[in-house]
Amino acid sequence: MVFERNLEDNLFALRDDLLAGRYRHGAYHRFVVFDPKQRTIHKANVRDRVVHQALVNVIEPSFERQFIHDSYSCRIGKGTHAAVRRLRLFLRQASRNGRKTVYAVKCDVRKFFDSVEHGILIGLLRRRIHDRRLMDLLREIIGSFSTRPGKGIPLGNLTSQLFANVYLHELDWFVKHGLRVHHCLRYCDDFVMLASSKERAFQLAEQADAFLGEHLKLRLHPNKIIVRTWKQGIDFLGYVLLPQATILRTKTKKRMLRLGKQENLTSYLGACAHADAFELTRAILMSAS
């Protein structure tokens, strides 16, 4: 509201600072959310968020053209529900409609946002951006936050969502083309690969971890490398995929029944609409009434 009160003056002043190379990123406001696990968010001020949005509008199309189809985080036409549907399709294909046992290895990059190397990220951006002033602006935004010297991007910046996809596109390319894993997909720092045996599934995780360590200075979380068959149920993005159904995670169902009320009813029912959850939907409606 304060920024909008003098919107035209503020926008022209921001434009002048950008053109003259005087723009400097401001400080962040830090706060904690529970969604449901604890996350620390760093929120930029309105002036900086205007720059973030303008920057993403300009550079994202160039990077979008290089991303693989099966990267589902923060992209138009993608998202969690599309990722879950795609994984179900992959499971049907790899198992020949349930006639063959297929193994899914689910991996999680350890402390991804805190661990992004500024130098590597800038190098990846420079591959497609050749304008010096634009690169100077990107360096200013990347350097405005760190968890340790030269490391970390903030949860909360619109630019961080794009930077995450640029950074982990290297992993996507390696898995699809280096390891030749056709049935794999990623949502932010979570990804799933399908294999014909448990041994091959763990081998794929080891090879992905080695690539991350050597090329991106990241590691997989050792306690979050999980191998399961489709019949056992594959837990991904809040849903559990089984051959006969897609259901919501048990913890998610319990939270919905405990916290369901009119204010969040639409959100909860929307999540149920993408699963086989008739009884849960009815229970939520009764608890919120």
Side-chain angles (χ1 to χ4, degrees):
M1 290 171 64
V2 172
F3 189 87
E4 194 173 28
R5 197 173 296 154
N6 298 295
L7 181 61
E8 188 171 294
D9 290 342
N10 286 330
L11 290 178
F12 275 110
L14 179 55
R15 173 185 176 275
D16 291 344
D17 285 348
L18 287 166
L19 285 172
R22 293 191 301 263
Y23 170 78
R24 295 295 177 268
H25 200 285
Y28 290 89
H29 170 62
R30 178 184 179 277
F31 62 96
V32 176
V33 298
F34 298 87
D35 68 340
K37 67 180 181 181
Q38 181 175 322
R39 297 181 187 275
T40 302
I41 307 296
H42 290 84
K43 184 177 74 171
N45 62 43
V46 174
R47 185 173 186 267
D48 294 325
R49 295 206 302 272
V50 170
V51 174
H52 297 171
Q53 182 68 68
L55 186 61
V56 168
N57 289 349
V58 170
I59 70 172
E60 188 171 42
S62 175
F63 287 99
E64 181 67 28
R65 288 191 289 271
Q66 76 170 357
F67 293 154
I68 67 167
H69 177 82
D70 292 310
S71 162
Y72 282 86
S73 176
C74 303
R75 296 177 66 195
I76 295 172
K78 305 290 185 175
T80 56
H81 299 135
V84 171
R85 289 194 300 271
R86 182 71 164 172
L87 179 55
R88 173 165 283 280
L89 173 64
F90 280 170
L91 288 163
R92 282 207 309 269
Q93 291 175 343
S95 69
R96 297 175 186 168
N97 285 322
R99 294 193 299 271
K100 175 184 172 184
T101 301
V102 62
Y103 293 83
V105 55
K106 191 179 77 162
C107 304
D108 179 285
V109 180
R110 188 171 195 169
K111 295 185 177 179
F112 169 68
F113 284 91
D114 287 349
S115 303
V116 168
E117 287 270 352
H118 291 183
I120 294 175
L121 175 58
I122 289 168
L124 294 173
L125 293 168
R126 196 188 293 121
R127 288 183 187 175
R128 296 189 74 86
I129 297 173
H130 307 293
D131 182 271
R132 181 185 57 79
R133 291 195 302 170
L134 185 51
M135 280 306 306
D136 287 345
L137 178 58
L138 285 163
R139 287 190 188 90
E140 175 65 26
I141 292 171
I142 293 167
S144 68
F145 176 87
S146 63
T147 52
R148 301 188 299 280
K151 281 183 178 283
I153 53 177
L155 271 172
N157 275 10
L158 180 63
T159 49
S160 294
Q161 299 169 2
L162 175 59
F163 293 161
N165 279 334
V166 170
Y167 208 84
L168 289 176
H169 170 70
E170 302 304 303
L171 173 66
D172 297 338
W173 188 263
F174 171 72
V175 171
K176 286 277 190 184
H177 301 281
L179 299 181
R180 298 186 180 277
V181 181
H182 175 67
H183 296 117
C184 66
L185 57 86
R186 179 180 61 80
Y187 185 93
C188 197
D189 54 352
D190 291 334
F191 63 101
V192 175
M193 300 176 286
L194 302 189
S196 57
S197 69
K198 182 180 285 190
E199 293 74 20
R200 177 58 177 159
F202 279 115
Q203 183 185 48
L204 289 174
E206 289 176 7
Q207 290 172 311
D209 189 41
F211 175 86
L212 286 168
E214 182 179 352
H215 296 277
L216 300 176
K217 307 304 179 189
L218 300 171
R219 304 304 308 196
L220 295 182
H221 197 301
N223 299 329
K224 294 184 180 180
I225 299 173
I226 301 168
V227 175
R228 292 177 69 85
T229 66
W230 194 10
K231 288 183 179 179
Q232 290 174 314
I234 298 164
D235 188 329
F236 187 56
L237 301 178
Y239 293 88
V240 178
L241 286 79
L242 295 157
Q244 70 278 14
T246 297
I247 61 176
L248 282 154
R249 193 182 283 161
T250 300
K251 288 199 303 186
T252 304
K253 290 190 286 188
K254 289 180 178 178
R255 188 170 71 252
M256 286 179 169
L257 292 171
R258 187 177 73 253
L259 302 176
K261 52 189 176 183
Q262 288 297 326
E263 288 82 357
N264 55 28
L265 186 61
T266 301
S267 174
Y268 285 179
L269 294 179
C272 291
H274 294 273
D276 299 283
F278 175 77
E279 292 296 334
L280 177 61
T281 299
R282 190 165 65 173
I284 292 170
L285 285 168
M286 290 178 63
S287 68
S289 61

